[in-house]
Amino acid sequence: MTTATASSSVGAGQGTASRASQSREQWASVRTYISAAVILIWCLAPAYWMVVTAFRQVGFTYDTTPWPTHVTLDNFLTAFDTSFGNRFGQALLNSIIIGVTVTVISLIIGVFAAYALARLNFRFKYLVLGFILGASMFPGVALITPLFQLFTNIGWMGTYQALIIPNISFVLPLTVYTLTSFFREMPWELEESARVDGCTQGQAFRKVIMPLAAPAIFTTAILAFISSWNEFLIASQLSNEATQPVTVAIASFAGAQPNQIPYTAIMAAGTIVTIPLVILVLVFQRKIVAGLTAGAVK
Amino acid sequence: MATELGPTPVKPASGAPAVHHGPKGVGEDNRILSQGKWASWLLAPTIIALGVVIVYPIISAIVMSFQKDAGLDPATGLFTAGGPAGIQNYVNWLGQQCAAPGGGTVACPPGTLGGQFWSATGTTFLFTVITVALETVLGFWMAMIMARSFKGRGLVRAAVLVPWAIPTAVTAQLWLFMFDFNGIINKVFSASILWTGSEWPAKWAVIIADTWKTTPFMALLILAGLQMIPAEVYEASKVDGASAWQRFRLITLPLVKPALMVAILFRTLDALRMFDLPYILTGGANNTTTLSILVINQIRQGFNSAAALSTITFLIIFLVAFIFVRFLGANVVEQSGATGKGKK
């Protein structure tokens, strides 16, 4: 798949290159396409291999034919099969519950902070920004030990709240600084004019700014959800069989034989977990990239 | 905690003293005062939430780290109560000392968690240095390609998001499968390496998988930096006869440096806390145990000792961040906070 796309774009590139252009420029453009093809293969080949394996019969797990062979849907059924102790379906549901809750809470809290940081002048602004950025780079293991003890003592081990609350510490800083960068770019003149027309600052925020900010908030929500969806460290320690999210379920996937890793089923589970994210990311590609890089360059 | 970001450029203008009633205008001061009030209301939920989920555990971890772990004394078989330990937990980790039968400490026997501190620190830094170096070089190269205009550029920019979007746990299982003895990587390179079976192949497996997963993030950050460079600068230098290498060294590199430093800082701090990938890919075997894995393994053997180790890990990361900001000029707050319309 990757090579086909890449080589067709090489062909297209050569076709559009003007014959009059210097050979050096042509050579440079050929090199660009070769590099682009290398990037495409490097990024997509492993993901492609996951999908191909997910659709391959168990007996042909190690088949190296580069295109789909021995196609089957059995692996997806195996992934959801609970007879070997896997609870992938429940884990999917858990990940959605945790991800949505964390995203909603982080957005509700973070949107106010981001507005203040992007729009208002106040003392200690840089201190607050520094604190939030520092929080986002914080190592998860520094939180896990006291939380492990605390949650054991109060009987929260394995509960949803024990997974949601620590997750907020990772997702909220990301939410605040992504939103802050988006908010800086918005047409705030409209807020000024709303205020001239007699709105209070709160009304101006609600009636003018919120609708304008919706795309930024939506993008940030995707980033927040992905971040929560990918979380493994906290969940691997604080969840139990009933509440574990997909990352933990996939990491400890058991097969029929204890000494054999059920790779095809794992790849099927991985495909299920990944495909919705990849589609989401590709559809909102521009916004996502803007959000990802927002904290760093603007 | 904000001090880790170094000298925060708090410019007097951005937070004009509210008590100042100069001839220049009381109205302006009142406005800032009321904005400050607004700001503190708006920021309060975030600050409180982060205080609860970050500051409280940190303080609690530090308090715990100065306590003894309650447990069975290996010598007497009697239950020993906790109680203040002073800096003994820290001394034990740094000196790789374990409690000895009959009191006191001895060097931890090989294979125990206590004897792995320096090897885990070494592994963590090795992973960090190699992955960040590889990601920077590869990411820069990818960004330079993606900054050019060619047909299919959109496709490439979309493709680099794929490794980023795959959860690390899935990435680890995917590479475990590809690094299998019968897997695609050995087949393609006609090799017969037991990738997760011995030290260096296992380390390279982690490094390769991490580089694959995180280079796109680096590339996108650098690309965003490259796109801030005005095209006229390049055109002017072309007219002046600068070679491609000169353009790269004298224009691209210095102009993209602020964004590049922030990207490297982000990635370095992220790599120093690496956990998921080696934990799932190699299980920490064959000297691929990072500091984070060591903390996790320790938790069930004693909270307080684990708290001391996690505090050490935190301090190491803090120190690296401080060095970056202070001496290498990665000004995160300036980069992300100083510009924009909100600033006066």
Side-chain angles (χ1 to χ4, degrees):
Chain A
M1 182 187 89
T2 52
T3 42
T5 333
S7 56
S8 77
S9 48
V10 169
Q14 280 169 340
T16 51
S18 147
R19 264 155 218 247
S21 67
Q22 296 169 352
S23 63
R24 193 146 49 113
E25 274 179 28
Q26 256 176 356
W27 172 231
S29 129
V30 169
R31 265 190 329 199
T32 303
Y33 281 108
I34 293 172
S35 307
V38 171
I39 296 175
L40 278 177
I41 293 168
W42 162 253
C43 290
L44 296 181
Y48 170 74
W49 199 239
M50 174 174 78
V51 178
V52 168
T53 308
F55 285 100
R56 211 163 248 170
Q57 288 165 21
V58 185
F60 296 88
T61 303
Y62 296 108
D63 192 336
T64 46
T65 321
W67 49 83
T69 52
H70 310 284
V71 177
T72 175
L73 290 173
D74 287 352
N75 299 319
F76 291 89
L77 298 176
T78 312
F80 283 102
D81 187 355
T82 52
S83 52
F84 308 128
N86 302 316
R87 306 177 71 160
F88 183 65
Q90 178 66 40
L92 265 180
L93 186 67
N94 292 337
S95 272
I96 292 170
I97 292 171
I98 297 165
V100 169
T101 315
V102 168
T103 304
V104 169
I105 293 176
S106 297
L107 275 175
I108 289 174
I109 298 176
V111 79
F112 295 109
Y115 176 81
L117 288 169
R119 279 297 291 157
L120 301 178
N121 287 304
F122 54 92
R123 256 194 280 192
F124 309 124
K125 183 170 174 176
Y126 293 99
L127 204 66
V128 174
L129 260 174
F131 172 71
I132 289 167
L133 269 169
S136 74
M137 295 174 200
F138 204 76
V141 285
L143 307 177
I144 188 90
T145 322
L147 291 180
F148 196 100
Q149 197 193 30
L150 176 72
F151 291 160
T152 307
N153 290 345
I154 61 176
W156 273 21
M157 285 300 275
T159 58
Y160 284 114
Q161 65 267 31
L163 302 173
I164 288 165
I165 291 171
N167 234 323
I168 290 174
S169 72
F170 307 129
V171 175
L172 180 59
L174 170 101
T175 308
V176 172
Y177 76 66
T178 309
L179 277 176
T180 304
S181 330
F182 275 135
F183 282 180
R184 284 212 193 91
E185 314 260 293
M186 285 182 17
W188 292 98
E189 311 81 65
L190 293 177
E191 186 201 32
E192 304 286 329
S193 26
R195 296 201 64 194
V196 169
D197 292 345
C199 286
T200 65
Q201 193 148 9
Q203 281 175 323
F205 179 73
R206 227 173 37 243
K207 292 187 177 164
V208 180
I209 293 310
M210 281 305 268
L212 278 171
I217 291 171
F218 181 68
T219 308
T220 311
I222 295 178
L223 290 174
F225 185 79
I226 289 177
S227 166
S228 168
W229 187 262
N230 292 353
E231 204 286 320
F232 175 75
L233 192 154
I234 297 283
S236 71
Q237 303 304 313
L238 302 184
S239 68
N240 62 20
E241 279 212 325
T243 53
Q244 66 179 15
V246 279
T247 48
V248 178
I250 285 179
S252 57
F253 216 89
Q257 278 95 28
N259 53 355
Q260 206 175 352
I261 307 174
Y263 281 124
T264 49
I266 295 176
M267 293 305 118
T271 305
I272 295 168
V273 168
T274 305
I275 292 299
L277 294 197
V278 169
I279 291 172
L280 209 58
V281 163
L282 294 186
V283 169
F284 300 102
Q285 181 204 343
R286 280 175 171 279
K287 278 273 164 198
I288 297 270
V289 171
L292 259 185
T293 55
V297 287
K298 289 194 181 115
Chain B
M1 232 177 68
T3 47
E4 77 183 64
L5 296 155
T8 34
V10 181
K11 295 187 184 83
S14 65
V19 286
H20 168 70
H21 289 282
K24 226 181 151 190
V26 179
E28 183 70 7
D29 285 342
N30 283 342
R31 193 181 144 88
I32 284 168
L33 183 66
S34 77
Q35 288 203 344
K37 234 184 195 168
W38 248 108
S40 46
W41 278 112
L42 294 171
L43 286 167
T46 297
I47 302 290
I48 292 169
L50 291 180
V52 171
V53 294
I54 291 183
V55 180
Y56 165 72
I58 287 309
I59 293 170
S60 157
I62 292 171
V63 171
M64 284 165 72
S65 70
F66 293 108
Q67 303 285 319
K68 272 186 212 148
D69 278 312
L72 292 174
D73 188 295
T76 58
L78 295 173
F79 185 82
T80 46
I87 56 166
Q88 194 57 45
N89 287 329
Y90 292 94
V91 171
N92 286 354
W93 281 115
L94 296 177
Q96 305 203 143
Q97 298 289 310
C98 291
T105 55
V106 290
C108 291
T112 56
L113 294 179
Q116 292 182 33
F117 174 76
W118 288 106
S119 74
T121 308
T123 303
T124 306
F125 275 90
L126 179 92
F127 283 163
T128 304
V129 169
I130 298 183
T131 57
V132 174
L134 281 174
E135 286 158 25
T136 307
V137 173
L138 274 173
F140 213 115
W141 173 71
M142 285 187 187
M144 298 272 285
I145 302 296
M146 287 190 287
R148 290 182 199 161
S149 62
F150 59 95
K151 255 195 195 156
R153 182 173 68 171
L155 183 72
V156 176
R157 286 188 185 179
V160 298
L161 282 169
V162 170
W164 172 81
I166 299 180
T168 313
V170 176
T171 305
Q173 288 282 26
L174 170 59
W175 283 89
L176 182 65
F177 171 55
M178 294 198 297
F179 278 127
D180 191 282
F181 186 74
N182 299 313
I184 183 94
I185 291 176
N186 273 350
K187 289 268 173 63
V188 165
F189 296 100
S190 317
S192 43
I193 301 170
L194 269 168
W195 283 96
T196 51
S198 56
E199 177 166 0
W200 284 99
K203 281 184 170 162
W204 277 107
V206 172
I207 290 166
I208 292 167
D210 188 67
T211 305
W212 177 73
K213 161 95 179 125
T214 47
T215 302
F217 177 70
M218 197 75 152
L220 290 172
L221 284 186
I222 297 170
L223 177 64
L226 286 176
Q227 287 170 332
M228 311 274 281
I229 304 173
E232 300 89 65
V233 182
Y234 285 108
E235 277 153 29
S237 70
K238 259 188 194 167
V239 172
D240 291 345
S243 70
W245 170 243
Q246 280 175 323
R247 287 201 298 273
F248 177 76
R249 198 168 53 87
L250 300 171
I251 300 173
T252 312
L253 219 45
L255 285 177
V256 88
K257 194 189 157 216
L260 183 65
M261 289 312 293
V262 171
I264 292 176
L265 173 68
F266 279 5
R267 278 302 312 142
T268 302
L269 300 187
D270 212 25
L272 284 172
R273 61 185 177 188
M274 193 193 289
F275 174 76
D276 314 17
L277 200 56
Y279 190 78
I280 301 169
L281 190 55
T282 63
N286 301 307
N287 256 330
T288 51
T289 295
T290 60
L291 281 169
S292 291
I293 294 179
L294 197 58
V295 175
I296 295 299
N297 290 340
Q298 174 64 39
I299 285 182
R300 284 178 177 83
Q301 302 198 8
F303 290 138
N304 296 332
S305 183
L309 184 59
S310 74
T311 307
I312 294 171
T313 308
F314 168 56
L315 288 176
I316 290 174
I317 294 178
F318 183 94
L319 192 71
V320 170
F322 179 78
I323 290 170
F324 257 93
V325 173
R326 188 74 185 79
F327 299 107
L328 298 174
N331 201 334
V332 183
V333 176
E334 184 89 300
Q335 272 301 107
S336 62
T339 53
K341 292 169 193 169
K343 190 188 154 206
K344 290 219 162 175

